[in-house]
Amino acid sequence: MLPYFPFEQDSYAMTLGVRALRPGESLIEVDEAHYARELALKQAHLSANLRARFQALPGTEPHQWETVTELLPLMAQQLPRYFALEVEGGRWHWRNLLLGTETRFTPGDAGSLPLAPLDWLGRQVQEDLLLMDGTREGLPMMAGQLCFPSMWSLDEKMGRSLLDIHVPVPGFGEKLGTATTRLMEGLKPGRTVTRCNWAITVTDRMDLEPWSFPEWRHLFEGITAANAGERCFLRLERQTLSLMPRTGAILFTIHTYQAPVATEVEDPARRRRLANVLRTVPADMSTYKRLTPFLAPLLAWLDAEPVPRAVNS
């Protein structure tokens, strides 16, 4: 099962759903079963088209370096099974125990890392990493490594304000725009907040960039009340927001998890709740989330009595 089930009530509601990280809850999460595969996917995507998946506006190097120097100590402290850090003078020694790699570098020295700091950092984690400028009006996006997007791209969003970025989301500006801006402007260093976003897709592909749609659009075909639970995937984004104390950059992380709907609603209460939520999604939001083509068969599948799993003797 996925680590989160984001449906907290029996009807659809457009809310921020933000909370502070709990004691012992790490900013970066490691899904060990999928870590190696997803990091290899990142590497392949970045090698195939770096500019499509990593961009940084001029002058953002200090913001990138601060993100590195803030996150690495946290990762080593919160996830010592997977990461280790030694600092001697101005020299840092980073060990990724999952990948079996070591990196020595001097923060602020561009020549000491083989890649831009944020790009290098993104290759250590499963999360997509985005930086917003918390010191400028509108909180524009200024850098990002994005390998597992849900139908958007850096080319569309880089340099644009928070509200401009969310223009395609029905009702966002009127319902959540002010609250989201206030939340981000009110962030405090060391007080990360988190939320969970959801979607339902017809593919388990991680990289859902807009230009990839022709490659998997055929998967909308043939979904029925008999197979929708296995053919449809619940896609979750565990998101966090953190304020960098010196530069004022806001780090936005997105860890994507996904699994067939059937595996996430074996509990009848979960099954009913998801059906109730989907039944109350407004039409414009259903279109935006690409639910409409398979909504009827998925609801029919959810409403049907589940077939008991066979028990091995």
Side-chain angles (χ1 to χ4, degrees):
M1 288 177 57
L2 299 176
Y4 305 100
F5 189 71
F7 309 105
E8 298 181 352
Q9 55 192 39
D10 281 335
S11 60
Y12 176 80
M14 192 174 191
T15 62
L16 282 178
V18 173
R19 61 171 176 81
L21 287 187
R22 301 184 181 105
E25 189 176 10
S26 59
L27 194 160
I28 295 297
E29 291 189 333
V30 170
D31 176 11
E32 194 169 347
H34 300 99
Y35 181 89
R37 182 181 71 86
E38 291 179 9
L39 267 289
L41 271 176
K42 275 195 171 191
Q43 186 71 34
H45 293 332
L46 291 160
S47 296
N49 190 340
L50 179 63
R51 190 188 180 283
R53 282 119 187 173
F54 175 76
Q55 293 184 28
L57 297 181
T60 60
E61 289 80 7
H63 309 82
Q64 295 183 54
W65 276 114
E66 184 179 21
T67 305
V68 170
T69 58
E70 287 290 315
L71 255 64
L72 294 191
L74 268 182
M75 291 166 64
Q77 174 193 344
Q78 296 174 344
L79 302 166
R81 288 178 53 200
Y82 307 126
F83 308 109
L85 175 67
E86 298 172 11
V87 179
E88 186 173 341
R91 194 75 173 160
W92 288 42
H93 178 198
W94 172 253
R95 287 185 293 144
N96 184 317
L97 307 178
L98 285 161
L99 296 179
T101 59
E102 299 186 23
T103 308
R104 292 175 170 83
F105 65 93
T106 302
D109 179 359
S112 65
L113 278 181
L115 304 163
L118 191 68
D119 187 21
W120 175 84
L121 180 61
R123 299 176 196 233
Q124 310 297 311
V125 299
Q126 288 162 279
E127 284 82 354
D128 285 320
L129 305 178
L130 304 160
L131 289 180
M132 315 294 286
D133 191 343
T135 68
R136 289 180 56 196
E137 184 177 358
L139 308 169
M141 184 183 294
M142 58 180 174
Q145 189 201 78
L146 182 71
C147 293
F148 304 140
S150 185
M151 297 305 289
W152 64 282
S153 69
L154 292 177
D155 277 338
E156 297 172 342
K157 310 298 185 182
M158 190 59 60
R160 294 175 60 184
S161 72
L162 173 70
L163 294 182
D164 283 346
I165 285 170
H166 288 90
V167 163
V169 183
F172 180 89
E174 310 91 89
K175 296 179 181 178
L176 297 181
T178 299
T180 304
T181 301
R182 286 177 178 169
L183 168 72
M184 294 179 67
E185 290 177 343
L187 290 170
K188 305 296 182 186
R191 298 182 185 178
T192 295
V193 299
T194 185
R195 68 184 296 268
C196 191
N197 196 29
W198 67 271
I200 296 179
T201 71
V202 294
T203 176
D204 61 356
R205 179 175 177 146
M206 293 288 290
D207 56 313
L208 299 185
E209 292 149 324
W211 59 82
S212 73
F213 186 51
E215 300 174 20
W216 53 271
R217 67 188 307 164
H218 65 281
L219 296 174
F220 283 97
E221 301 170 6
I223 296 177
T224 69
N227 65 23
E230 289 72 32
R231 288 280 305 273
C232 297
F233 294 83
L234 180 60
R235 182 180 172 106
L236 304 181
E237 293 181 350
R238 189 257 195 174
Q239 304 173 349
T240 73
L241 288 167
S242 306
L243 178 66
M244 299 296 105
R246 295 185 298 281
T247 62
I250 296 172
L251 172 65
F252 178 40
T253 74
I254 308 170
H255 191 138
T256 300
Y257 297 91
Q258 56 189 9
V261 169
T263 67
E264 303 308 303
V265 295
E266 292 181 357
D267 178 357
R270 281 189 168 201
R271 194 179 183 107
R272 287 191 298 271
R273 173 154 292 181
L274 178 56
N276 290 335
V277 170
L278 292 177
R279 210 169 261 115
T280 55
V281 175
D284 57 351
M285 184 60 74
S286 181
T287 299
Y288 169 75
K289 285 181 171 283
R290 288 184 169 80
L291 300 174
T292 306
F294 57 81
L295 186 57
L298 180 55
L299 283 172
W301 183 89
L302 289 166
D303 290 339
E305 286 294 324
V307 178
R309 286 190 172 187
V311 177
N312 296 327
S313 58

